[in-house]
Amino acid sequence: MAKARDSIAILGGTGDQGLGLALRFARAGRTVVIGSRKLDRALRAVEEVRQAVPDADVSGFENPEATRGAPIVIVSVPFEHTAGTVKAIRSELESGQLLVSMAVPLATAVGDGAVRTVGIWQGSCAELVQSLAPDGVQVVSAFQNVSAHRLRDLENAVECDVVISGAKAARERVMELCSLVPGLRGVDGGPLANARIVEQITALLIGMNARYKLPEGLGIRFTGLPD
Amino acid sequence: MAKARDSIAILGGTGDQGLGLALRFARAGRTVVIGSRKLDRALRAVEEVRQAVPDADVSGFENPEATRGAPIVIVSVPFEHTAGTVKAIRSELESGQLLVSMAVPLATAVGDGAVRTVGIWQGSCAELVQSLAPDGVQVVSAFQNVSAHRLRDLENAVECDVVISGAKAARERVMELCSLVPGLRGVDGGPLANARIVEQITALLIGMNARYKLPEGLGIRFTGLPD
Amino acid sequence: MAKARDSIAILGGTGDQGLGLALRFARAGRTVVIGSRKLDRALRAVEEVRQAVPDADVSGFENPEATRGAPIVIVSVPFEHTAGTVKAIRSELESGQLLVSMAVPLATAVGDGAVRTVGIWQGSCAELVQSLAPDGVQVVSAFQNVSAHRLRDLENAVECDVVISGAKAARERVMELCSLVPGLRGVDGGPLANARIVEQITALLIGMNARYKLPEGLGIRFTGLPD
Amino acid sequence: MAKARDSIAILGGTGDQGLGLALRFARAGRTVVIGSRKLDRALRAVEEVRQAVPDADVSGFENPEATRGAPIVIVSVPFEHTAGTVKAIRSELESGQLLVSMAVPLATAVGDGAVRTVGIWQGSCAELVQSLAPDGVQVVSAFQNVSAHRLRDLENAVECDVVISGAKAARERVMELCSLVPGLRGVDGGPLANARIVEQITALLIGMNARYKLPEGLGIRFTGLPD
């Protein structure tokens, strides 16, 4: 399959957050490729995108095929499936492709609650992904703190900053993705290791959403940034 | 079911390490209760114990029933099932029962390798278990570094020290369990929080077993301890 | 010394962030007590407050004396001195007093950089403080992410949310402190253990301040909170 | 200064553990170079070595000069000074030199107790050292769990295994160092990241030394290793 030069593959694009990104990027006119472990689930998500965004340029595949040739591959599966997903697509990944890690090591992965996290040997989910990726494939951490509900609510802006961590040139490619979504602002999160902080913030937000009874989900903004 | 006053319940007694402990405690003449999520698996493990130790006082139940009334309950399921197992038996646990945590948060739980670990919000698997246990149920950390292979090899001593962490009186009850197994020596590991160190050692041993090609598994000894 | 019923002691009130809080609370008409390891340094800080807020109700003492009888004691010393400071005031602390932990375990404490942190055995600086405090003294985590520069700039609002973690009643007392400072908003950060996430955010902000060249310092806001 | 081809520099060779290693290596006939922040302290340690080992080939320098040209440089300063020491010698380090990290991030570094540790952003003290070392300088983790008291007691063997972590060729050079000391056995601890486990063990041993009242210090042995 020949992918569009600027296509965005979203593995786990059938989940809440992945589907939300798919909707937003499709709405912005980008070519979106939805990946899933099961083809039929990917195709159902494609249908959902088309219903919300009738002129969407969207297609669905199993994860390895979705990965092949996509310049940017967003890994949007739950944390407990992230390592397995990266291993499954590994042989498809080629130098120059960008892998975006957005999972959060919530303690639900080990039977504990979503307001707590587990510590990752490599430092963060994003660094774990980097450790599993082939040489030449850069990993960027982003999108962890964006509410799935707000992403999917196409009538409203998302109102959230996205902290982007990774190598500089790679960060900038994801910065550009953020600019496609009304209300999202990419901010420079420095080296990939900072993902360990950004990922933790999600667990804090989940707790705050529960305490404040906000099913639509909080966002985060940095004040004092230059325009 | 009325349990013997000194019975030892081993949840996950169908796994390698749990079955090894069951064999050793049965051989030492103690009443052993094997728990499993599935009754038939528990009963198969009971048969295995009886074949190796013909006069074994051993019975099998689903985990909650195995837990009921047993003064000491050893949670010997893999780490990723430990929280779920404790939640499943929680309503059976009563003040005074002792819960022994022996799982290790290996990174296999999140799709990474067994020579690495994940960090636990509460500090360790044992402290996670304590956070899930009802008030009055004390948790002790022990047995993580004992080779399953050596436990099951009844003809030979195990040659391993067992670092026992938890409240003092509870530690002593587990110290006594160690003395039932030839070659095991319980050592005073201090407060439960030290489990976070002891659990890590297992990942180190797993790596050393692989590097030295020792399928039967290394043990650990402290030198300079008084007799 | 008899403290005012609503006085606020700020240990390390001679540092940038502590002095900033002192200025703001004094400006709001509260009784402020500045503590330091050295009396003369405390008195110099008192002078600074009086120059900026001529009618300030402010006094200075060595830390233990500053602590005595103050309903709220803010520990605003650098992280590497936090444990020592708490030990030094321990004998003065009485049940009912509130201890506010605001230090961040930056890796500068161990000779590494301020954009990285060290992990704390107890989970966070705030939990370390709790482990050192006498029974009955509640610890609340707050103020870590508030820019010292913006606190001290009395002409402008601070524009920062303060995540407050700790026991509920204690949290509310600190929530009220936030309302004294224009632009600060206290948000419910749940149990004290969440301080481990909030403290990390400071290291992220320090890195962003450097990358964006913002000596006055970023703040953080949560979007989507009810008014 | 021209160093002997097989000289061993020990920075912090004036401390208990560093001096112990100096004594043992000198006794084994190796050229030992003791480094310290202060020349006079280094020279005093040299005198101590000469008194215990009259024919010792030992000299003393400030840390940077001690480092220059030594094929193996052991950083034996307390953890809180390790980063600073490595920065101070950095300009002297050349590709091919081996840096041995033996400090343990005990929580004393942040005012808490020696039976607890702090977590290091890079994973361990050894990995922090690696992050500070120039390219081409390999870091090996070793010696953390060796009792200073037993090292200095030249009449007796040490009875301790040394877990050596780092790159393979570098590990073997440290393995050979262990063989110089009666009772020490080097074991293959795999990649440098495993230092994070080995360093923790020291805190466990310190607690056990206190509980068992063993001022001379415990050691650790692995059972089941091939001869």
Side-chain angles (χ1 to χ4, degrees):
Chain A
M1 181 194 65
K3 298 260 166 55
R5 265 191 325 119
D6 68 346
S7 67
I8 304 164
I10 304 178
L11 312 187
T14 61
D16 267 2
Q17 222 180 357
L19 187 56
L21 286 176
L23 286 165
R24 293 287 187 168
F25 294 147
R27 167 65 84 83
R30 292 291 288 265
T31 302
V32 171
V33 181
I34 291 179
S36 180
R37 271 188 293 183
K38 306 271 189 186
L39 179 59
D40 61 325
R41 298 195 61 206
L43 296 178
R44 267 201 306 267
V46 165
E47 275 320 295
E48 266 198 81
V49 173
R50 284 197 182 124
Q51 271 171 22
V53 185
D55 61 343
D57 175 5
V58 59
S59 55
F61 300 92
E62 290 184 17
N63 284 328
E65 197 170 353
T67 299
R68 201 176 306 145
I72 295 183
V73 180
I74 301 178
V75 185
S76 180
V77 300
F79 167 67
E80 52 268 44
H81 300 138
T82 294
T85 298
V86 175
K87 288 175 187 172
I89 63 168
R90 197 173 176 171
S91 62
E92 303 295 338
L93 286 168
E94 293 184 349
S95 186
Q97 278 183 296
L98 198 82
L99 218 45
V100 179
S101 170
M102 58 182 288
V104 171
L106 298 178
T108 44
V110 301
D112 196 19
V115 297
R116 289 180 286 279
T117 53
V118 291
I120 302 302
W121 182 274
Q122 291 83 358
S124 59
C125 175
E127 291 162 280
L128 169 59
V129 168
Q130 183 73 76
S131 78
L132 296 169
D135 286 351
V137 172
Q138 284 187 315
V139 175
V140 168
S141 154
F143 299 122
Q144 294 93 343
N145 298 315
V146 182
S147 153
H149 183 281
R150 290 182 190 278
L151 276 176
R152 298 181 63 166
D153 171 16
L154 294 178
E155 302 314 307
N156 291 291
V158 177
E159 299 303 344
C160 192
D161 283 352
V162 174
V163 184
I164 303 173
S165 303
K168 187 172 160 51
R171 280 201 310 260
E172 280 164 11
R173 289 168 70 187
V174 178
M175 207 72 87
E176 191 257 332
L177 285 191
C178 292
S179 70
L180 300 174
V181 184
L184 282 196
R185 176 176 63 166
V187 300
D188 179 352
L192 192 64
N194 285 344
R196 63 188 80 177
I197 300 177
V198 180
E199 294 174 1
Q200 303 288 315
I201 294 174
T202 304
L204 186 69
L205 292 175
I206 289 172
M208 289 172 64
N209 288 339
R211 283 191 294 280
Y212 283 102
K213 300 188 174 56
L214 300 170
E216 61 277 24
L218 292 174
I220 191 172
R221 283 276 188 222
F222 296 93
T223 61
L225 273 177
D227 292 331
Chain B
M1 183 194 64
K3 298 259 165 58
R5 264 191 324 120
D6 68 345
S7 67
I8 305 163
I10 304 176
L11 311 186
T14 60
D16 266 1
Q17 223 181 356
L19 186 56
L21 286 176
L23 286 165
R24 294 286 187 168
F25 294 148
R27 167 64 84 84
R30 293 291 289 265
T31 302
V32 171
V33 180
I34 291 180
S36 180
R37 272 189 292 185
K38 306 271 189 186
L39 179 58
D40 61 325
R41 299 195 61 206
L43 295 178
R44 267 202 305 268
V46 165
E47 276 319 297
E48 267 198 79
V49 173
R50 284 196 182 127
Q51 272 171 21
V53 186
D55 61 342
D57 177 4
V58 59
S59 56
F61 299 92
E62 290 184 18
N63 284 329
E65 197 171 351
T67 298
R68 203 175 305 144
I72 296 183
V73 179
I74 300 177
V75 186
S76 180
V77 300
F79 167 67
E80 52 268 42
H81 300 138
T82 294
T85 298
V86 174
K87 288 174 186 172
I89 63 168
R90 197 175 176 168
S91 63
E92 303 295 340
L93 286 167
E94 293 184 351
S95 185
Q97 279 182 295
L98 198 82
L99 219 44
V100 179
S101 170
M102 58 183 287
V104 171
L106 299 178
T108 44
V110 301
D112 195 19
V115 298
R116 289 180 287 278
T117 53
V118 291
I120 302 303
W121 182 273
Q122 291 83 359
S124 59
C125 175
E127 291 163 280
L128 169 60
V129 168
Q130 184 73 75
S131 78
L132 297 170
D135 287 350
V137 172
Q138 284 187 316
V139 175
V140 169
S141 153
F143 299 121
Q144 294 94 343
N145 298 314
V146 182
S147 153
H149 183 281
R150 290 184 189 277
L151 276 176
R152 296 181 64 166
D153 170 15
L154 294 178
E155 301 314 306
N156 291 292
V158 177
E159 299 303 343
C160 191
D161 283 352
V162 174
V163 184
I164 303 173
S165 302
K168 188 171 159 52
R171 280 200 311 259
E172 280 164 11
R173 290 168 70 185
V174 178
M175 207 72 86
E176 192 257 332
L177 284 191
C178 291
S179 70
L180 299 174
V181 184
L184 282 196
R185 176 176 63 166
V187 300
D188 178 353
L192 193 64
N194 285 344
R196 62 187 80 176
I197 300 176
V198 180
E199 294 173 1
Q200 303 288 315
I201 295 174
T202 304
L204 186 69
L205 291 175
I206 289 172
M208 289 173 64
N209 289 339
R211 283 190 295 280
Y212 283 102
K213 300 188 173 55
L214 300 169
E216 62 277 25
L218 292 174
I220 190 172
R221 283 276 188 223
F222 297 93
T223 60
L225 273 177
D227 292 331
Chain C
M1 182 194 66
K3 300 260 165 57
R5 265 191 324 121
D6 68 345
S7 68
I8 304 164
I10 304 177
L11 312 186
T14 61
D16 267 1
Q17 223 181 356
L19 187 57
L21 286 176
L23 286 165
R24 293 286 187 169
F25 295 148
R27 165 66 84 82
R30 294 289 289 264
T31 303
V32 170
V33 180
I34 291 180
S36 179
R37 273 187 291 183
K38 307 270 190 187
L39 179 59
D40 61 326
R41 299 195 60 206
L43 296 178
R44 269 202 305 268
V46 165
E47 276 319 296
E48 266 198 81
V49 173
R50 284 198 181 123
Q51 271 171 21
V53 185
D55 62 344
D57 176 4
V58 59
S59 56
F61 300 92
E62 289 185 16
N63 285 328
E65 198 171 350
T67 298
R68 201 175 306 144
I72 295 183
V73 179
I74 301 178
V75 185
S76 179
V77 300
F79 167 66
E80 52 269 43
H81 300 139
T82 294
T85 298
V86 175
K87 288 174 186 173
I89 63 167
R90 197 175 175 169
S91 62
E92 302 296 339
L93 286 167
E94 292 185 350
S95 185
Q97 278 182 297
L98 198 82
L99 219 44
V100 179
S101 170
M102 60 183 285
V104 170
L106 298 178
T108 44
V110 301
D112 196 20
V115 297
R116 290 180 285 279
T117 53
V118 291
I120 302 302
W121 182 274
Q122 292 82 359
S124 59
C125 175
E127 292 163 279
L128 168 60
V129 168
Q130 183 73 75
S131 78
L132 296 170
D135 287 351
V137 171
Q138 284 188 315
V139 175
V140 169
S141 154
F143 299 122
Q144 293 93 343
N145 299 314
V146 182
S147 153
H149 183 281
R150 291 184 189 278
L151 277 175
R152 298 181 63 166
D153 171 15
L154 294 178
E155 302 314 305
N156 291 292
V158 177
E159 300 302 345
C160 192
D161 284 351
V162 175
V163 184
I164 304 172
S165 303
K168 188 171 159 54
R171 282 201 309 259
E172 279 164 12
R173 289 167 70 185
V174 178
M175 207 72 87
E176 191 257 331
L177 285 191
C178 292
S179 69
L180 299 174
V181 184
L184 282 196
R185 176 176 62 167
V187 300
D188 178 353
L192 192 64
N194 285 344
R196 63 187 80 177
I197 300 177
V198 180
E199 294 173 1
Q200 302 289 316
I201 294 174
T202 304
L204 186 69
L205 292 175
I206 289 172
M208 289 173 65
N209 289 339
R211 283 190 294 280
Y212 283 102
K213 299 188 173 57
L214 300 169
E216 62 276 25
L218 292 173
I220 191 171
R221 283 276 188 223
F222 296 93
T223 61
L225 273 176
D227 292 330
Chain D
M1 182 193 66
K3 297 260 166 58
R5 264 191 325 121
D6 68 345
S7 68
I8 304 163
I10 304 177
L11 312 186
T14 61
D16 267 0
Q17 223 181 356
L19 187 56
L21 286 176
L23 286 165
R24 294 287 187 168
F25 294 148
R27 166 65 84 84
R30 294 289 289 264
T31 302
V32 171
V33 180
I34 291 180
S36 180
R37 271 187 293 183
K38 307 271 190 186
L39 179 58
D40 62 327
R41 298 194 61 205
L43 296 178
R44 267 202 305 268
V46 166
E47 276 318 296
E48 266 197 82
V49 173
R50 284 197 182 125
Q51 271 171 23
V53 186
D55 61 344
D57 176 5
V58 59
S59 56
F61 300 92
E62 290 184 18
N63 285 328
E65 197 171 351
T67 298
R68 202 175 306 143
I72 295 183
V73 180
I74 301 178
V75 185
S76 180
V77 300
F79 168 67
E80 51 269 42
H81 300 138
T82 294
T85 299
V86 175
K87 288 174 186 172
I89 63 168
R90 196 174 176 168
S91 62
E92 302 296 339
L93 286 168
E94 293 185 349
S95 186
Q97 278 183 295
L98 198 82
L99 219 44
V100 179
S101 170
M102 58 183 286
V104 171
L106 298 178
T108 43
V110 300
D112 195 19
V115 297
R116 290 180 286 279
T117 54
V118 292
I120 302 304
W121 181 274
Q122 291 83 359
S124 58
C125 175
E127 292 163 279
L128 168 60
V129 168
Q130 183 73 75
S131 78
L132 297 169
D135 286 351
V137 172
Q138 283 187 316
V139 175
V140 168
S141 154
F143 299 121
Q144 293 93 344
N145 298 314
V146 182
S147 153
H149 183 281
R150 291 184 189 276
L151 277 175
R152 297 180 64 166
D153 171 16
L154 294 178
E155 302 313 305
N156 291 292
V158 178
E159 299 303 344
C160 191
D161 283 353
V162 175
V163 184
I164 303 172
S165 302
K168 188 171 160 50
R171 280 200 311 258
E172 279 164 13
R173 290 168 69 186
V174 179
M175 207 72 86
E176 190 257 333
L177 284 191
C178 291
S179 69
L180 299 174
V181 184
L184 282 196
R185 177 176 62 167
V187 300
D188 178 353
L192 192 64
N194 285 343
R196 62 187 80 177
I197 300 177
V198 180
E199 294 173 1
Q200 303 289 315
I201 294 174
T202 304
L204 185 69
L205 292 175
I206 290 172
M208 289 173 64
N209 288 340
R211 283 190 294 280
Y212 283 102
K213 301 188 172 56
L214 300 169
E216 62 277 25
L218 292 174
I220 190 172
R221 283 276 187 223
F222 296 93
T223 61
L225 274 176
D227 292 332

